[in-house]
Amino acid sequence: MYMGRDYPAGEKYFKDRLRSSFLKNAHLTDESEIEKKIQLAEHVVRELEAMYKLKKYRTLKQRYYEPLEKD
């Protein structure tokens, strides 16, 4: 839920999507299927972290570097 703090569509949207994902997979009992879903969730977290870092990088670059002049 911490990752949803800076989500572009808003924290409420992120929490609602997260909750629906958990409820959709609540019926799983097979350990291999659960492990697949956990790996998918970890991948999504890494993608969100990459998105946030890119956003931060672009903001810092825009704030502290002058734009290059195009000839």
Side-chain angles (χ1 to χ4, degrees), residues 22 35-47:
F22 272 102
E35 187 63 35
K36 286 180 187 176
K37 295 297 180 178
I38 290 172
Q39 289 175 354
L40 176 64
E42 289 171 348
H43 175 72
V44 169
V45 168
R46 287 191 301 271
E47 289 291 323

Side-chain angles (χ1 to χ4, degrees), residues 11-68:
E11 187 175 3
K12 182 178 179 346
Y13 175 81
F14 183 83
K15 285 182 180 180
D16 290 342
R17 295 287 304 260
L18 182 64
R19 180 176 172 81
S20 68
S21 294
F22 272 102
L23 292 177
K24 182 174 71 173
N25 297 311
H27 69 282
L28 295 177
T29 55
D30 183 29
E31 287 188 32
S32 64
E33 287 294 319
I34 293 172
E35 187 63 35
K36 286 180 187 176
K37 295 297 180 178
I38 290 172
Q39 289 175 354
L40 176 64
E42 289 171 348
H43 175 72
V44 169
V45 168
R46 287 191 301 271
E47 289 291 323
L48 283 172
E49 287 174 344
M51 182 180 68
Y52 295 154
K53 288 178 183 180
L54 179 62
K55 179 182 173 186
K56 182 179 179 180
Y57 169 76
R58 287 180 176 168
T59 302
L60 290 173
K61 187 175 178 183
Q62 180 183 15
R63 190 175 295 162
Y64 294 111
Y65 292 102
E66 294 180 16
L68 296 175

